[in-house]
Amino acid sequence: LVALRLRERGTDRHGKHCGKREPEPGPRKHSGVSPARFARIARILSCRRRRSAAWHPRGAQGTRFPMTDQGSPDADLRARQLDDWIAATLGTRAYALAPASADASFRRYFRVTPDAPALGERTLVAMDAPPPAEDCRPFVRIAALLADAGVHAPQVLAEDLGRGFLLLTDLGTTTYLAALDEDNARALFADATDALVRWQLATRPGTLPPYDDALLRRELMLFPDWYVGRHLGAELSDAE
């Protein structure tokens, strides 16, 4: 649901450290793994995000809409519907709309940059999650749980659950991978670990479904279906 990210200035919108934990004075305890090795491991394990294949401009404001890999008219229609919803929500069309990211789902994300701050933000992220392929309600619920746990995660500012549109706070464009170097790797990994522990400590029985064998297998199938199939355009054999 949430990728751990850094804002460009290294703080969140409230001026706090992104990991929600101020650095402690004195030396940190660590596992003995060097910062350089931390950084190398992160780069080895990372994979490039899939980028959309085609984009075309629309409108006098320089708005840009994403197309699917096939340039589907349905996708273009949803982009226009999303644009109209954003304009109605913000009460203005004075904003730029550009692709933000994609993930292993039918969801698409766009960065909204208004000419003046909107909903208290300088930039926002719009999510397009087309029903019935996607359901925004679990995303909204988990976002609230993450916030309650004190984890730095996107906040839902506006929603149209029936059409699958959300407006979220923007965590910025600088990822952990881009920020990691030999000097900060230990501190950044410690912050990330702290966030995971904070989330785990907030877990309550019956709040979320168990992470069982069936769910684990569905997650593992993202690799052949989305990375190998959609990103690489390849197909694994039965033996592979």
Side-chain angles (χ1 to χ4, degrees), residues 72-96:
S72 163
D74 289 340
D76 185 56
L77 175 61
R78 280 200 62 84
R80 294 175 186 274
Q81 291 173 342
L82 177 63
D83 182 42
D84 291 340
W85 178 74
I86 294 171
T89 301
L90 301 183
T92 179
R93 286 190 179 273
Y95 57 82

Side-chain angles (χ1 to χ4, degrees), residues 111-173:
R111 180 160 284 105
V112 182
T113 307
D115 290 356
L119 302 180
E121 303 290 330
R122 290 178 298 176
T123 61
L124 307 104
V125 170
M127 177 199 290
D128 172 24
E134 296 290 343
D135 182 358
C136 287
R137 290 172 296 179
F139 185 100
V140 172
R141 179 169 177 253
I142 299 300
L145 291 174
L146 287 167
D148 291 343
V151 177
H152 186 53
Q155 300 176 33
V156 179
L157 302 176
E159 60 187 56
D160 184 335
L161 300 181
R163 291 194 290 175
F165 297 147
L166 297 178
L167 267 181
L168 314 170
T169 53
D170 186 1
L171 297 188
T173 59

Side-chain angles (χ1 to χ4, degrees), residues 145-206:
L145 291 174
L146 287 167
D148 291 343
V151 177
H152 186 53
Q155 300 176 33
V156 179
L157 302 176
E159 60 187 56
D160 184 335
L161 300 181
R163 291 194 290 175
F165 297 147
L166 297 178
L167 267 181
L168 314 170
T169 53
D170 186 1
L171 297 188
T173 59
T174 305
T175 64
Y176 251 53
L177 178 61
L180 274 174
D181 58 36
E182 294 188 10
D183 295 327
N184 65 21
R186 183 174 290 118
L188 292 184
F189 270 87
D191 284 345
T193 302
D194 288 347
L196 293 173
V197 172
R198 188 177 295 111
W199 177 233
Q200 182 67 31
L201 291 175
T203 300
R204 297 293 180 269

Side-chain angles (χ1 to χ4, degrees), residues 58-82:
R58 170 187 181 270
Q61 295 83 14
T63 301
R64 295 169 65 81
F65 289 127
M67 301 285 284
T68 62
D69 294 339
Q70 297 79 25
S72 163
D74 289 340
D76 185 56
L77 175 61
R78 280 200 62 84
R80 294 175 186 274
Q81 291 173 342
L82 177 63

